């Protein structure tokens, strides 16, 4: 009885193996020439709100990571000054006050790593202007990856139109990071909605 069940089991496994084996057809040069890969790589499209949300989250993550790297150093080497200049490059009007609150918080909590939790892009209206904000929860960890705490934070950003090679594109800048929102009386750089 056991021999019969073993034979049946082997037969089922062999038939499954041969059934799964698929022969690849020989493609002619014409078939390869006009292949567009549409069937193998479906394109996903994002609307502008999804794209802005994804870009904003990426920029927040980059500023946090660069700031943590900067604070891990001694802040007196060429690499540290390059990191600091790179951090300031994310801001519309870069100066030492724009990242002071972030760097002070990272230093006081002795942060070694950060992870972004919930993330949301919101708009507020002040007079006739639209102000863009990223609200997120940031989870701080120390150098031993032990949790320090989770904090609700906010960053204000702006998208500045920039024509690059005759395309309408935008450059992303933070107006502030972990500070009170900057309220404007009128739109700057011609951005209207």
């Amino acid at each position: 009885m056991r021999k019969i069940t073993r034979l049946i089991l082997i037969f089922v496994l062999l038939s499954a193996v041969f059934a799964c084996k698929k022969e690849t057809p020989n493609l002619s040069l014409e078939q390869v020439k006009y292949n567009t890969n549409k069937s193998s790589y479906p394109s996903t499209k994002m609307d502008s709100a999804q794209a802005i949300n994804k870009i904003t989250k990426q920029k927040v993550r980059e500023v946090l990571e660069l700031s943590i790297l900067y604070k891990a150093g001694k802040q007196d080497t060429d690499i540290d000054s390059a990191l600091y200049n790179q951090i300031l490059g994310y801001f519309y009007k870069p100066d030492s006050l724009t990242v002071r609150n972030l760097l002070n918080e990272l230093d006081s909590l002795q942060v070694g790593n950060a992870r972004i939790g919930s993330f949301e892009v919101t708009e507020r209206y002040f007079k006739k202007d639209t102000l863009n904000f990223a609200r997120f929860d940031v989870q701080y960890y120390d150098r031993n990856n032990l949790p320090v705490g989770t904090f609700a934070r906010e960053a204000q950003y702006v998208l500045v139109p920039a024509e690059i090679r005759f395309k309408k594109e935008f450059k992303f800048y933070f107006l502030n990071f972990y500070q009170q929102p900057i309220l404007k009386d009128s739109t700057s750089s011609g951005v209207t909605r």
Side-chain angles (χ1 to χ4, degrees):
M1 187 71 163
R2 286 186 170 176
K3 289 183 179 182
I4 293 173
T5 55
R6 286 185 194 167
L7 286 173
I8 292 173
L9 184 61
I10 291 172
F11 178 75
V12 170
L13 288 174
L14 288 175
S15 63
V17 168
F18 287 116
C20 292
K21 190 174 182 180
K22 186 178 177 183
E23 291 185 29
T24 57
N26 292 333
L27 296 175
S28 69
L29 186 58
E30 288 297 314
Q31 288 173 326
V32 173
K33 181 177 178 183
Y34 295 110
N35 187 6
T36 61
N37 283 337
K38 286 185 182 176
S39 60
S40 42
Y41 298 106
S43 63
T44 58
K45 295 184 180 181
M46 292 188 286
D47 63 359
S48 61
Q50 289 173 324
I52 289 172
N53 195 359
K54 184 177 180 179
I55 291 168
T56 306
K57 188 172 184 177
Q58 176 186 346
K59 298 295 184 180
V60 167
R61 184 180 300 118
E62 289 172 3
V63 167
L64 284 172
E65 289 173 355
L66 288 171
S67 300
I68 290 170
L69 281 174
Y70 174 72
K71 282 313 243 179
K74 297 178 181 176
Q75 290 99 32
D76 63 349
T77 64
D78 290 338
I79 293 174
D80 292 330
S81 63
L83 279 172
Y84 188 73
N85 289 333
Q86 190 173 358
I87 294 167
L88 291 179
Y90 284 88
F91 291 88
Y92 188 66
K93 293 181 180 179
D95 63 11
S96 61
L97 297 176
T98 55
V99 292
R100 181 188 66 209
N101 290 343
L102 170 63
L103 295 177
N104 287 343
E105 182 172 287
L106 294 176
D107 193 31
S108 67
L109 296 174
Q110 298 178 352
V111 175
N113 195 3
R115 184 176 298 139
I116 297 172
S118 65
F119 188 85
E120 152 183 51
V121 173
T122 61
E123 292 180 345
R124 293 187 202 144
Y125 301 99
F126 178 74
K127 296 185 181 179
K128 294 182 180 181
D129 295 334
T130 303
L131 306 175
N132 301 310
F133 292 93
R135 302 173 102 195
F136 53 94
D137 291 334
V138 62
Q139 301 164 348
Y140 289 138
Y141 298 91
D142 64 6
R143 287 173 176 71
N144 299 324
N145 262 352
L146 297 174
V148 174
T150 302
F151 303 93
R153 295 293 179 241
E154 184 174 72
Q156 186 178 4
Y157 69 92
V158 64
L159 298 173
V160 178
E163 286 195 21
I164 301 171
R165 295 185 185 176
F166 308 107
K167 294 180 183 178
K168 290 186 178 181
E169 295 184 8
F170 292 91
K171 289 192 176 189
F172 183 97
Y173 294 106
F174 287 108
L175 294 176
N176 64 42
F177 211 87
Y178 293 6
Q179 295 174 343
Q180 292 296 323
I182 299 172
L183 301 176
K184 298 180 178 183
D185 289 332
S186 62
T187 55
S188 64
S189 69
V191 178
T192 57
R193 293 184 185 209

